[in-house]
Amino acid sequence: MSYPYQFKSLDEYKVAYKKSTEDPSGFWSQVAENFLWRKKWDKTLQWNFTEPSVKWFEGGKLNITENCIDRHLEELGDKPAMIWEPNNPEDRVRVVTYNRLHKRVCQFAQVLKNNGVKKGDRVCIYMGMVPELAYAVLGCARIGAIHSVIFGGFSAQSIADRLEDASAEYIVTCDGAYRGEKIIPLKDVIDDALIGNKTVKRVIVYTRTRTPVSMIKGRDVWWEDEMEHAESQIEKDNVVSFPAVEMDAEDPLFILYTSGSTGKPKGVVHTIGGYMVFTAYSFVNVFQYQKSQVHFCTADIGWITGHSYIVYGPLAAGGTSVMFEGIPTWPDAGRFWDIVDRHKVNILYTAPTAIRSLMGFGLKPLEGKDLSSLKVLGTVGEPINEEAWHWYDENIGKGKCPIVDTWWQTETGGILISNMAGITPAKPTYATLPLPGVEPLLVDENGVEVKGNPASGNLCIRAPWPSILRTTYGDHDRCRQTYFSAYPNLYFTGDGALRDEEGNYRITGRVDDVLNVSGHRIGTAEVENAINMHSGVVESAVVGYHHDVKGQGIYAYVIFQGTHGDETSRRNDILQTVSRIIGPIAKPDKIQFVAALPKTRSGKIMRRILRKIAEGETSNLGDTTTLLDPTVVEAIAGGKL
Ligand code: WTA
């Protein structure tokens, strides 16, 4: 069965695209009719990019969980909403039907209520990839609380910063999380994050690993106890209910922190109505999802990809979403293929870095794995290189599955540029064409639009689509400055792109100081700040360099003045410091100790030169005449102190 808003041919895509640009309100109004609204919206779209202020479906009343769960119950109650694959393949798989999901989400919403959570409150979620994470997210949405999910790879300090930024009063966590052979002690990290915290009133702890945890009286409670208590409150005469709180379309749904080129990560805010409509629309069209197909997105729910294409998009479409607790290489590098085989996965959506890493294991892990259920493959998070694209196509898709290369960002909420499986043509390494409702353009450094094809420039978007970020939490001006000030009246993505003769876009990577390491976004300034926290460090500069598997690696130039330890121990101490301040994902791959950094006369670090040295391109460093002291560059390039 298909969806009324799903295009089925290239012509239908073209018609939809044309309508979406000529009459965005009419177009999205028609799509939005396919969802459950308690009250219809008064005005479809109102916007300006100067404040910025974007409002979709204003006056509309709804609850997103009624759209993701309740409205499917009659038809799909006994069908799987989620299939959970545990870290250890010998453990029990959990199939969560829509009925079960409904009950658990109602139960958890009741738990939140019992613990004092109200509409608009911020709830921080720091859990492993267990179904309870999805219950927590949706429980928040049901009661109208704003969730802020934090990826398990972030440190106590990062959590503390995020708790403070959002003045969060509630936390949901696990005792620990399994990742391959490791156990990550999540509650321990939360305890560290809470030292000195004055706002958090309650921590709800789900038991997963039975890792010993401290439980503080009056603050910490067990998930299991709370859920048991709530069960009797929401279930009467075999009827489960927790009335979903009526929300405005423009009420915030969640905050998700992401790295930018300056300062600390910012809390990107998405609102309910537009996000719901666009994630479902993009899910159904890009992947050409058919009802009852099994969709496996390998991301973590701690990132936007997991929010939009494990939880909200697939569930809003009444789909079946696979959630995987573990890692692709444990117990062996055939894990993804086992999951595809075991659950008869139809759509596999992963990151180029995962493909490149699995390529490294050769074809042996594929032996005996039946991948014939696959219909569509997808990639996200970073540019995919030609070699990885072809490996994916030939060995996983067996040349029969369209590969969708989906370009988007935390801020965009959903996929903006991508080919659409089997509908619009794929072109290796190109994200290709925009989705309906999305108007990309390229501009040069002076902000002048680069017209005609082929072209290259900075990628901007001309008008709002329904799931564009609305603000950065607690600091609207930062949102304006970061995305809407570089080029007046345009949303600036931070990415550079090429456009070919046919108008296909190829994203070439960030043009700002944001790195993309294994598909994770990390700001160079953030890493520098963390390195500079080390007591022996005077100054540092961080750049990205090409890394065969991770896409980009982190290269740090460090001026060190301490006397303690040798180079190896200093290096390790710096890595440990970064782990503590940000988390293990931000650890530099290379650290070079230097006597000085190349600076302009006005004191700005010349990163362009440092990038070249990190890439090993020392013979062609470009113009160095503006440098205060050119000998610094020679010393660094020669690897001398
Ligand atoms: C990059 C992830 C090339 C890009 C959904 C963007 C991509 C950043 C692609 C956002 C792609 C994402 N091809 N580059 N298909 N998809 N990117 O916020 O640089 O974690 O700006 O969102 O990833 O990363 P984020």
Side-chain angles (χ1 to χ4, degrees), residues 258 303-305 379-384 405-411 431 493-495 507 509-510 516 519-521:
T258 194
W303 306 109
I304 191 70
T305 308
T379 74
V380 58
E382 39 169 337
I384 183 164
D405 178 350
T406 66
W407 172 84
W408 58 297
Q409 312 177 295
T410 305
E411 295 86 345
T493 64
D495 280 315
I507 314 303
R510 303 286 307 197
N516 201 325
H520 299 157
R521 246 170 96 165

Side-chain angles (χ1 to χ4, degrees), residues 256-259 268 303-306 309 349 352 379-384 404-415 417-418 429-431 459 491 493-496 505-512 514-516 519-522 552:
L256 189 56
Y257 285 86
T258 194
S259 296
V268 167
W303 306 109
I304 191 70
T305 308
Y309 299 109
Y349 188 32
T379 74
V380 58
E382 39 169 337
I384 183 164
V404 291
D405 178 350
T406 66
W407 172 84
W408 58 297
Q409 312 177 295
T410 305
E411 295 86 345
T412 70
I415 299 165
I417 304 182
S418 174
T429 75
Y430 279 73
L459 181 64
Y491 166 80
T493 64
D495 280 315
Y505 285 89
R506 175 185 185 163
I507 314 303
T508 47
R510 303 286 307 197
V511 294
D512 53 9
V514 172
L515 306 181
N516 201 325
H520 299 157
R521 246 170 96 165
I522 298 170
Q552 273 189 309

